Amino acid sequence: MIILQHVYYAHPNKGAIFEDLNLTVGNQEKIAVTGNNGSGKSTLLKIIAGELTLSSGFLKTDSIPWFVPQIFGQYNDLTIAEALQVSQKLNALKEILDGNPGEKNLAILNDDWTIEERCRKALLFWKIGDVDMQQKISILSGGQKTKVFLAGIAIHQPQIVLMDEPGNHLDSEGKQMLYEFIQTSKATLVVVSHDRKLLNLAEKVVALTKGGLSIYGGNYDFYKEQKTIEADALSQDLKNKEKELRKAKVTARETAERQQKLEARGKKKQEKAGLPTISMNTFRNNAEKTSSRLKDAHTEKLTGISNELNALRKESPDASAIKFGFDNSFLHRGKVLFKATDLNYGYNDDLLWKEPLNFQVLSGERITLKGKNGSGKTTLINIIRGNTEPISGNVYRAESRSVYIDQEYSLIDNAITVYEQAQRFNAFVLQEHEVKIRLNRFLFSAADWDKPCKALSGGEKMRLVICCITIGSKAPDIIMLDEPTNNLDIQNIEILTAALNEYEGTIFVVSHDEIFLKEIHVDREIFL
């Protein structure tokens, strides 16, 4: 069981992340945690794992959790055995088997005579049986690192398992194994994920926002239904608030006009009555004070309604409104953009693909490139783009414009600000205010324009990339994406999906996210 009560956590440099957060997870319960980038999902898992200390509040777990992290950089100097927390036991077992059964070694081993065998079986199960327990974590691929920590579950058999975006670096086979583990596990599971297929395996979905936790008593489909109901209610609130703002503006204008007429009428009466100057000044001052009070009252009301309206708009960004906005008229459907004949790549006789590749890419197609980790997907993308040449076979590349959006969003320069980044793509020499209008459309307000790009989340970088492409020039013939949903929350996946569905050119995408591929209407698959 996991119990969090009145949890408050403040980041040393970023202020409060959680305030009065409460959550209880029962034994063998499986919950999924979702939320926008920056809402604190990873922080929550690290608090439960004991890696971060609460500022205040109460945390209780029945046993020590096993944590599968999303980011592995902190483990790069460790061996696989050290990362799995079995290094000392393996060394003690080796010493004992070599004839040195000292008290220290026996105490460290603690009768865990099967530790070496469990490690071997666990690594084999996750199909990384060829790795050496003494090699550094840093030389492994992202998928292999994830599998090492997943193997730790079978090695330690914990009662509580915490997983932070475990499917991010796994290929399709690895993801399927992960889904099967979640379905069959008897452990208490808390999984942070944006993988909608994985979210559907949970018994509850916990949505984390800046306002706290909202618990939905069902899987992702149930959660989505409830969110649709909430979004409809929010949309109605937005319409009502906009109507209230319009009405308040009319009332303020009518009140001001009425007061001006009263003051003018009163002034005429005073002049006719021949009142002394001092009395006239008193009446005028009183009238000005009344007008000022009325103006202040209406200004305060209008400001209050406007602030409420802006808050509602931030809660309900319209994904469908964020579009490339290209003129697609010159894109010629059916044109051959790339053709490969007996294509292969490698070094000397060590070829990457057992069978040479033969395929073509036509304008307007939506193609997904699939294959296990290490099958050469990125290499093939570089060949299509013209950055790499094959060692055998022939390629034809039509003259065309392409945009490549990789997992690291390398189109973005981390050393400059959001506004400077947008200006770099300003090929049409848009006026400053026009560039800022584009940034606003992609949810970058004035408060974000001077923010350094390195401070942006994955979702924010994705939105900035799309914004820059729209500023750049005419529509590209082909947009290539490498695992585009890996670092995105669900809201930003929906934004990307809406933008791609509005684009009429060619899409070439590497992804293991089956729901995403279905939603962008991929119609062909190339398997390596």
Side-chain angles (χ1 to χ4, degrees), residues 406-424:
D406 60 10
Q407 295 182 53
E408 306 301 323
Y409 306 105
S410 54
L411 285 174
I412 303 294
D413 184 346
N414 287 326
I416 61 178
T417 67
V418 168
Y419 176 72
E420 289 169 341
Q421 177 67 48
Q423 281 288 20
R424 280 199 179 176

Side-chain angles (χ1 to χ4, degrees), residues 260-272 275 280 283:
Q260 285 173 0
K261 288 177 182 177
L262 287 171
E263 288 173 7
R265 200 176 299 141
K267 187 177 179 182
K268 284 182 181 178
K269 285 182 179 180
Q270 291 160 17
E271 288 172 349
K272 281 184 180 180
L275 294 175
M280 294 277 286
F283 283 126

Side-chain angles (χ1 to χ4, degrees), residues 150-209:
L150 289 170
I153 300 169
I155 294 168
H156 293 284
Q157 299 172 7
Q159 295 178 33
I160 299 172
V161 176
L162 312 172
M163 294 192 278
D164 191 359
E165 299 287 5
N168 263 12
H169 303 288
L170 298 179
D171 56 26
S172 297
E173 183 184 37
K175 282 193 173 186
Q176 189 56 44
M177 293 176 68
L178 175 65
Y179 300 149
E180 289 171 4
F181 163 75
I182 290 172
Q183 285 176 301
T184 58
S185 175
K186 300 299 182 185
T188 301
L189 294 180
V190 180
V191 186
V192 166
S193 182
H194 64 263
D195 181 334
R196 289 163 286 185
K197 189 171 181 179
L198 186 154
L199 292 172
N200 262 336
L201 303 177
E203 297 161 354
K204 287 182 183 176
V205 172
V206 174
L208 187 58
T209 66

Side-chain angles (χ1 to χ4, degrees), residues 42 45-47 49-52 64-87 132-142 144-150 152 156 162-164 169:
S42 296
L45 284 195
K46 289 176 181 177
I47 286 171
E51 292 190 4
L52 295 175
I64 298 173
W66 179 255
F67 184 34
V68 180
Q70 177 186 6
I71 299 170
F72 304 97
Q74 65 271 38
Y75 302 99
N76 281 343
D77 292 333
L78 302 180
T79 64
I80 292 173
E82 288 169 339
L84 286 171
Q85 301 173 28
V86 295
S87 179
D132 184 342
M133 293 288 284
Q134 301 309 315
Q135 73 187 60
K136 295 284 188 181
I137 280 280
S138 57
I139 70 171
L140 301 180
S141 69
Q144 287 175 318
K145 290 174 184 176
T146 299
K147 288 180 177 181
V148 163
F149 283 90
L150 289 170
H156 293 284
L162 312 172
M163 294 192 278
D164 191 359
H169 303 288

Side-chain angles (χ1 to χ4, degrees), residues 191-474:
V191 186
V192 166
S193 182
H194 64 263
D195 181 334
R196 289 163 286 185
K197 189 171 181 179
L198 186 154
L199 292 172
N200 262 336
L201 303 177
E203 297 161 354
K204 287 182 183 176
V205 172
V206 174
L208 187 58
T209 66
K210 290 182 179 179
L213 286 174
S214 298
I215 300 174
Y216 298 82
N219 63 8
Y220 176 72
D221 285 342
F222 175 81
Y223 160 78
K224 194 172 182 180
E225 288 174 10
Q226 297 302 307
K227 290 297 288 182
T228 300
I229 294 170
E230 290 176 13
D232 290 343
L234 191 60
S235 177
Q236 189 58 49
D237 287 346
L238 197 56
K239 289 176 182 176
N240 292 340
K241 194 59 66 177
E242 287 171 343
K243 185 177 179 181
E244 185 182 346
L245 182 61
R246 287 195 299 271
K247 187 176 178 181
K249 286 179 178 178
V250 170
T251 302
R253 187 178 67 249
E254 290 176 346
T255 302
E257 290 171 354
R258 190 163 53 248
Q259 184 62 26
Q260 285 173 0
K261 288 177 182 177
L262 287 171
E263 288 173 7
R265 200 176 299 141
K267 187 177 179 182
K268 284 182 181 178
K269 285 182 179 180
Q270 291 160 17
E271 288 172 349
K272 281 184 180 180
L275 294 175
T277 303
I278 189 167
S279 298
M280 294 277 286
N281 288 339
T282 302
F283 283 126
R284 186 178 67 250
N285 289 338
N286 288 339
E288 288 175 355
K289 286 178 182 177
T290 301
S291 296
S292 178
R293 281 198 302 271
L294 287 170
K295 184 179 179 181
D296 289 346
H298 284 291
T299 300
E300 186 178 346
K301 184 174 182 180
L302 286 171
T303 301
I305 296 172
S306 296
N307 289 340
E308 290 173 12
L309 189 56
N310 288 333
L312 285 171
R313 283 174 177 157
K314 285 182 180 179
E315 278 185 65
S316 181
D318 183 3
S320 63
I322 300 176
K323 299 179 178 180
F324 286 112
F326 292 134
D327 175 7
N328 294 303
S329 59
F330 75 96
L331 294 172
H332 306 298
R333 185 169 289 273
K335 173 186 174 183
V336 177
L337 298 178
F338 179 86
K339 185 174 182 179
T341 305
D342 296 329
L343 174 71
N344 218 322
Y345 184 83
Y347 303 94
N348 300 322
D349 295 328
D350 188 14
L351 297 176
L352 185 53
W353 301 299
K354 291 181 180 179
E355 298 291 334
L357 305 180
N358 292 276
F359 68 93
Q360 63 182 14
V361 178
L362 303 179
S363 178
E365 285 191 301
R366 298 189 166 219
I367 303 169
T368 180
L369 180 59
K370 290 191 172 182
K372 294 181 179 180
N373 292 340
S375 61
K377 298 187 292 293
T378 302
T379 299
L380 183 55
I381 285 177
N382 283 325
I383 290 174
I384 294 172
R385 295 178 66 213
N387 293 341
T388 301
E389 294 299 327
I391 66 162
S392 64
N394 298 305
V395 297
Y396 164 78
R397 302 182 186 96
E399 185 175 341
S400 60
R401 293 185 64 257
S402 67
V403 171
Y404 177 51
I405 304 175
D406 60 10
Q407 295 182 53
E408 306 301 323
Y409 306 105
S410 54
L411 285 174
I412 303 294
D413 184 346
N414 287 326
I416 61 178
T417 67
V418 168
Y419 176 72
E420 289 169 341
Q421 177 67 48
Q423 281 288 20
R424 280 199 179 176
F425 281 74
N426 192 4
F428 282 153
V429 195
L430 297 176
Q431 296 294 318
E432 179 179 333
H433 73 277
E434 293 176 297
V435 173
K436 289 177 176 177
I437 287 170
R438 296 282 182 98
L439 287 169
N440 264 312
R441 189 189 304 164
F442 285 85
L443 307 182
F444 292 103
S445 66
D448 300 313
W449 297 339
D450 293 327
K451 185 186 291 185
C453 290
K454 65 181 179 182
L456 301 179
S457 68
E460 289 170 326
K461 285 185 177 179
M462 181 276 297
R463 278 191 275 113
L464 185 55
V465 165
I466 297 177
C467 181
C468 288
I469 294 171
T470 69
I471 290 172
S473 58
K474 63 184 181 181

